Amino acid sequence: MLPEAFLSRMRQQLGEEYPAFLESLERPRAVALRFRPGKGAPPELPFVTGQVPWEPMGRYYSPDARPGLHPFHEAGVYYLQEASAMAPVTLLDPQPGERICDLCAAPGGKSTQIAGRMAGQGFLLCNEVNPKRAKILSRNVERMGVSNALVTNEHPQTLARHLPEWFDRVLVDAPCSGEGMFRKEEAAVTDWSPETVQMCARRQGEILNSAAALLRPGGRLVYSTCTFAPEEDEGAVAVFLESHPEFEPETVAAPWFVPGENGSCRMWPHKLLGEGHFAAVLRKVGGEEREIGYQAGERLPKPWETFVRETGISLPNGQGVTFGSRLFWVPEGTPELKGLRVMRPGLELGELKKERLEPAHALALWLRDCANTVCYPWDSRELAGFLHGEVLPIHRRGWCLVQADGYSIGWGKGDGTVLKNHYPKGLRR
């Protein structure tokens, strides 16, 4: 049962379209996934049913399927993401080489979508204020093999003080009352109230103020929610523009968006295959660009150099840093982050254990190939055993990259008779 206060407002909001809206909430919801561009051409999968119109890598899939259990999911070949939730990144239009901030990033769908558009070039900051959700965000960034992203666990105001007017594009996919998710999540219905809408609107205004401070002059800000509430959508944008004369709205024109005022647009569940979504595109026309200090790189220790020689891998543009015994590769032009809570400072390369290096699972998921590789069909007994943690009877020596139909999924280490399993214990089935 939907709240009566919500239904009454939607009746006024939609007018003659209200019956079609109500009917759409009774239909089974469309489910979708998004392929990762860096993994090559999307594979042919029997459960994929059609193209998501606003995202080139987005596909609908059969509701009966369970793609989260497929080995390709573990290999980061695709991310399960609601179709309408893919639209804000399309509006953000990230480009390779830019500096981009996803300010409210957990669980990571939009961050990994941005990373796919950036093609490993540039700097992506993925932030989440909630520590538990920040850990989930970090795991998803790792699973999707992102090499040029850092994950922080900070309040947006703190980031704004550290990195004023530094980003080319900022996405604010704001915490909201979740009305667009009523069909998808029962908790969204039970947690809803008019007071929640008002509380969310106040919080959204604070986040938008921080986003404004992070964006450079000429940069693009996209604000999005998954709610229908005008107070959180058009109202939040109007309040922001009134207090930020340095921003102006940009026109959004696309067949799947219903355009509104101040650069805003809506996606309605009775007009497309997806849930409800709102977005607004704003450009910063005034301000003063700031100089930011940059993080210095380090020469990585000999065990890493030995590993590189043995595996023949090459890394993208960037620089090495160490955090205790762990080695990371950070993008070129990474700003000085001292004083910030950094959950993931870049692509994890491995961990030093005495005088040897144990390569990170994140590195395996990023790699497409190395000198020592073994590949199994995704539905083979051998790959299923590997994902369970079993050793593989292969006469190899040294670190070996294990793949599923050409998609890297983890490390094994051969002693000449078997390949010892280094698939993370927490991920084993």
Side-chain angles (χ1 to χ4, degrees):
M1 295 290 292
L2 297 177
E4 183 54 42
F6 167 75
L7 294 174
S8 177
R9 195 200 72 218
M10 294 306 300
R11 194 179 294 114
Q12 293 181 340
Q13 199 170 338
L14 283 169
E16 62 183 18
E17 292 188 31
Y18 177 69
F21 169 76
L22 275 188
E23 183 185 352
S24 73
L25 299 185
E26 297 297 323
R27 293 198 298 265
R29 64 185 185 90
V31 287
L33 56 81
R34 177 179 42 76
F35 286 106
R36 170 182 159 195
K39 286 284 189 178
E44 295 290 332
L45 295 170
F47 50 80
V48 169
T49 58
Q51 173 76 47
V52 175
W54 43 89
E55 167 52 56
M57 302 302 289
R59 303 290 189 275
Y60 295 104
Y61 67 86
S62 170
D64 301 329
R66 302 183 70 186
L69 299 180
H70 198 290
F72 286 174
H73 181 266
E74 300 307 312
V77 177
Y78 53 75
Y79 188 102
L80 303 182
Q81 187 177 18
E82 197 279 311
S84 294
M86 301 178 193
V89 172
T90 298
L91 296 173
L92 187 70
D93 192 27
Q95 300 296 316
E98 291 184 325
R99 300 184 297 215
I100 300 177
C101 176
D102 185 358
L103 196 52
C104 311
K110 294 178 178 66
S111 283
T112 55
Q113 187 182 3
I114 291 169
R117 300 283 185 106
M118 296 177 75
Q121 302 172 46
F123 176 87
L124 173 59
L125 182 68
C126 315
N127 182 67
E128 173 56 46
V129 70
N130 182 292
K132 289 183 179 179
R133 286 171 56 80
K135 289 180 181 178
I136 296 170
L137 166 65
S138 189
R139 287 198 294 267
N140 280 324
V141 167
E142 174 181 295
R143 182 174 63 83
M144 296 302 288
V146 180
S147 64
N148 61 325
L150 277 71
V151 176
T152 54
N153 170 217
E154 279 295 352
H155 194 283
Q157 290 179 356
T158 304
L159 287 181
R161 287 196 299 270
H162 274 74
L163 300 170
E165 299 197 322
W166 194 74
F167 290 96
D168 299 298
R169 301 174 198 257
V170 176
L171 174 65
V172 176
D173 185 48
C176 68
S177 58
E179 295 172 359
M181 295 292 108
F182 279 1
R183 179 168 58 173
K184 180 183 177 186
E185 298 175 5
E186 185 177 341
V189 179
T190 57
D191 292 344
W192 185 92
S193 71
E195 292 74 23
T196 300
V197 170
Q198 297 300 326
M199 181 271 291
C200 288
R202 289 192 296 271
R203 181 172 56 187
Q204 290 152 0
E206 295 170 359
I207 297 171
L208 277 170
N209 289 336
S210 297
L214 287 163
L215 192 65
R216 68 164 177 82
R220 174 177 289 187
L221 168 63
V222 170
Y223 171 71
S224 66
T225 75
C226 59
T227 193
F228 305 118
E231 300 95 320
E232 301 179 63
D233 295 343
E234 294 89 350
V237 174
V239 170
F240 173 78
L241 290 174
E242 187 175 343
S243 59
H244 289 276
E246 73 275 22
F247 279 82
E248 61 182 23
E250 291 195 340
T251 302
V252 175
W256 45 84
F257 296 127
V258 177
E261 58 189 23
N262 289 330
S264 68
C265 57
R266 285 184 178 272
M267 304 179 80
W268 293 101
H270 60 288
K271 292 179 178 290
L272 45 77
L273 286 176
E275 306 301 326
H277 234 78
F278 169 88
V281 182
L282 309 170
R283 179 152 321 258
K284 191 172 189 177
V285 294
E288 186 176 325
E289 294 196 47
R290 313 286 182 89
E291 284 295 322
I292 302 292
Y294 292 98
Q295 185 168 299
E298 309 167 23
R299 178 168 180 175
L300 296 177
K302 275 190 175 180
W304 169 254
E305 296 177 357
T306 302
F307 175 80
V308 169
R309 263 196 323 272
E310 291 174 349
T311 57
I313 69 171
S314 58
L315 295 172
N317 291 336
Q319 58 193 31
V321 296
T322 58
F323 281 75
S325 62
R326 298 164 69 197
L327 314 182
F328 289 85
W329 195 252
V330 302
E332 280 186 331
T334 295
E336 179 56 58
L337 300 172
K338 187 176 181 180
L340 295 177
R341 288 192 294 270
V342 180
M343 305 285 289
R344 181 185 187 273
L347 174 65
E348 186 174 3
L349 302 178
E351 184 176 7
L352 291 173
K353 296 190 173 180
K354 296 182 179 179
E355 292 301 313
R356 62 184 178 84
L357 178 103
E358 185 167 304
H361 185 59
L363 179 63
L365 295 174
W366 174 77
L367 283 170
R368 296 187 69 172
D369 201 5
C370 79
N372 197 9
T373 302
V374 58
C375 185
Y376 296 105
W378 71 263
D379 56 353
S380 65
R381 168 69 186 85
E382 291 85 355
L383 187 68
F386 178 75
L387 295 178
H388 275 89
E390 298 173 9
V391 299
L392 298 174
I394 299 179
H395 303 294
R396 298 282 185 94
R397 289 191 177 274
W399 289 104
C400 183
L401 186 64
V402 179
Q403 296 183 328
D405 283 322
Y407 300 110
S408 302
I409 201 167
W411 292 108
K413 190 173 186 182
D415 63 3
T417 57
V418 296
L419 196 68
K420 295 180 180 179
N421 197 309
H422 283 262
Y423 193 69
K425 291 182 180 179
L427 298 179
R428 294 178 184 178
R429 300 183 177 182

